[in-house]
Amino acid sequence: MALLRFSRRAYLEEFRSGSLYLNTQNYFKELENRDAQADRFENVDVIAQPRDIKSFRITNNQPGQVMEIPPQQFRGPLLINLGRRAYNLFCMYSIPTSTVGNPMVDPRNFNCADWDAFTVVRNSQEFLDRFQRAAEAAGFRMACNLVEYYDADAYTGDVGPFRKPNSFAYQREFRVVIFPGSAGPVRLELESLEDITAPIWPLAEINSLMEFNSPLG
């Protein structure tokens, strides 16, 4: 699996030096109204479809004051935040080695106006090993995985940091998550990544470069 990182050139230079910036899950939730990459499900622990809800009851502090909402009054899935998702995360684009196709990277991933460059992690396992060492040295636990994309109009159950609605499947996201979460961003200092990452290239050229693989050899 190849891992790609899209960003501004200056940030990618920091990345290749081993300096990684991990935002909170709330940061991505707050992007909802101003960024094409936003996900309103980002801060959700459990999703429940109306057909799977018998009733929804709200009780206030006054005895006997109860409001019960039947499932037919829901206009979409019930999104529940139980406070489980306290973590900081680092997101990348994944390409399995068996992948073929044109374009290699869906252009919808380039909607962020600030992004002008990309790099490729040549050795994903070594990258994750260095990431884990840095996270543990800073007092964090680390987890990583490909994101699983679900049907937001059909799925009921736990969501967690490695599940997103299938409307975002074009992102082919690979996430690295550190726990416990911080109230703000976390910067981790890894060993230099220059030996396991490709040079920084213009984002506009990504599909012509990735199609023939010559820059990675």
Side-chain angles (χ1 to χ4, degrees):
M1 178 177 62
L3 295 177
L4 283 64
R5 178 72 173 169
F6 316 137
S7 191
R8 294 174 60 181
R9 177 172 289 271
Y11 295 156
L12 291 178
E13 289 172 351
E14 289 186 356
F15 170 70
R16 294 190 74 229
S17 74
S19 186
L20 275 60
Y21 190 82
L22 288 77
N23 262 309
T24 66
Q25 85 277 22
N26 284 328
Y27 168 83
F28 292 95
K29 171 65 176 176
E30 290 165 4
L31 290 177
E32 181 173 339
N33 295 322
R34 58 186 176 89
D35 195 315
Q37 303 294 318
D39 174 9
R40 70 188 181 95
F41 295 80
E42 183 62 58
N43 208 21
V44 173
D45 293 314
V46 177
I47 181 173
Q49 300 298 329
R51 67 172 185 275
D52 298 316
I53 301 171
K54 183 176 181 180
S55 65
F56 187 78
R57 181 175 296 180
I58 301 173
T59 305
N60 69 12
N61 293 328
Q62 300 299 319
Q65 294 188 3
V66 178
M67 176 185 296
E68 188 164 306
I69 305 173
Q72 58 267 27
Q73 292 187 7
F74 284 90
R75 295 184 177 272
L78 179 64
L79 310 181
I80 306 172
N81 183 328
L82 300 174
R84 298 176 185 168
R85 301 189 69 176
Y87 56 77
N88 292 64
L89 59 92
F90 191 80
C91 305
M92 305 185 77
Y93 186 88
S94 66
I95 300 181
T97 54
S98 60
T99 296
V100 294
N102 189 20
M104 183 73 72
V105 180
D106 192 306
R108 285 176 291 178
N109 288 284
F110 312 144
N111 288 333
C112 184
D114 289 340
W115 295 350
D116 62 1
F118 79 102
T119 188
V120 180
V121 175
R122 297 177 183 268
N123 186 333
S124 55
Q125 186 57 59
E126 178 61 25
F127 166 67
L128 295 174
D129 289 344
R130 295 181 192 185
F131 204 133
Q132 183 163 2
R133 287 195 293 269
E136 291 176 351
F140 296 100
R141 293 177 289 109
M142 187 190 98
C144 60
N145 214 333
L146 291 165
V147 169
E148 175 187 346
Y149 296 97
Y150 61 85
D151 185 345
D153 295 322
Y155 177 73
T156 290
D158 288 342
V159 180
F162 301 111
R163 287 196 178 105
K164 295 182 71 172
N166 57 12
S167 57
F168 292 92
Y170 67 89
Q171 294 178 353
R172 303 180 68 153
E173 193 173 348
F174 182 88
R175 285 184 161 187
V176 184
V177 179
I178 59 171
F179 306 91
S182 169
V186 170
R187 186 177 289 277
L188 288 181
E189 299 296 336
L190 283 61
E191 304 161 48
S192 172
L193 302 176
E194 291 185 0
D195 61 321
I196 59 169
T197 54
I200 298 171
W201 293 303
L203 187 59
E205 300 177 14
I206 188 169
N207 279 312
S208 61
L209 291 170
M210 294 297 296
E211 181 179 0
F212 297 103
N213 295 322
S214 57
L216 307 185

